[in-house]
Amino acid sequence: MAKAQTSILETKRLTLRPLTMDDLDVLATLYSYPEVRKYFPDRTLTYEETKKELEWIIDVCYGRHGFGLWATIHKETGAFIGRCGLIPWALEGRSEVEVAYLLAKTYWGQGLATEAAQAILGYGFERLPVERLICVIEPENRASAKVATKIGMTYRKEVEDEFGWASLYAIARPGITQD
Ligand SMILES: CC(C)(COP(=O)(O)OP(=O)(O)OC[C@H]1O[C@@H](n2cnc3c(N)ncnc32)[C@H](O)[C@@H]1OP(=O)(O)O)[C@@H](O)C(=O)NCCC(=O)NCCS
């Protein structure tokens, strides 16, 4: 019998649970859609590239950091509708943790990313000793920037990483005035 998976987070409409290699097919299908991957510097991913990312999430993110991207399940339908969670970053010489969200297009425009991101933010500040949480967003990705601001982040500046320039949004841990 398959082992029951404990969820990481529950919101009104979503369950976030750890990803496993059993999610590879559905994640690879999601990552193959150009619209879903439009604002990612590496664009659509192949099955093999998705497999490498999934291995990195499980081995490095969960294994070393204790957090990562999680399978995002729509409670009403039981469908796997995306992956949202926390990503460790080294940005301009500083260790950061990003609130990340990606959903299947059918589920856009219902406030689901904001619902997930809000819960992830709360989880991040509760569980991790971070001074702030960030989002690194392609400047033209208006929907993503909107989600970041709706969970209380503000635009800080443009940052350069190995993929090019992106907009940095951040929110300080409650009680911290300067991050
Ligand atoms: C970004 C993403 C997760 C948003 O998901 P979602 O569930 O539709 O988001 P929400 O419904 O919670 O909120 C989106 C907000 O952006 C707004 N929005 C959507 N498209 C927009 C656009 N082109 N310009 C301006 N605002 C836009 C919506 O109106 C909504 O704001 P509102 O509630 O004030 O009306 C989804 O578009 C997605 O998965 N995109 C592909 C992956 C991706 O780019 N992830 C982010 C990487 S940084």
Side-chain angles (χ1 to χ4, degrees), residues 2-8 15 17-23 71 73:
K3 204 173 140 206
Q5 288 177 321
T6 319
S7 69
I8 302 283
T15 298
R17 60 146 177 87
L19 285 157
T20 73
M21 290 314 288
D22 291 342
D23 297 311
I73 309 298

Side-chain angles (χ1 to χ4, degrees), residues 35-40 83 98 101-104 107-115 136-138 140-144 146-147 150:
E35 273 182 284
V36 169
R37 298 286 304 181
K38 183 173 174 189
Y39 297 114
F40 288 77
R83 97 296 181 267
E98 177 173 21
Y101 30 81
L102 176 150
L103 298 180
Y107 295 87
W108 293 0
Q110 302 173 37
L112 288 168
T114 305
E115 187 172 315
V136 180
I137 301 175
E138 225 272 0
E140 287 174 14
N141 195 349
R142 300 316 309 158
S144 180
K146 191 77 190 284
V147 172
K150 279 169 52 161

Side-chain angles (χ1 to χ4, degrees), residues 26 56 63 80 108 143 174:
V26 66
W56 173 76
F80 179 114
W108 293 0

Side-chain angles (χ1 to χ4, degrees), residues 53-68:
E53 183 182 296
L54 193 49
E55 285 166 349
W56 173 76
I57 292 167
I58 294 168
D59 297 342
V60 178
C61 295
Y62 299 167
R64 284 194 217 150
H65 297 272
F67 61 83

Side-chain angles (χ1 to χ4, degrees), residues 144-178:
S144 180
K146 191 77 190 284
V147 172
T149 53
K150 279 169 52 161
I151 62 166
M153 291 195 179
T154 52
Y155 171 78
R156 301 302 172 92
K157 60 177 184 168
E158 296 302 291
V159 283
E160 193 176 17
D161 62 18
E162 70 258 43
F163 300 113
W165 288 92
S167 303
L168 176 73
Y169 287 74
I171 181 171
R173 169 181 291 283
I176 290 184
T177 47
Q178 201 176 357

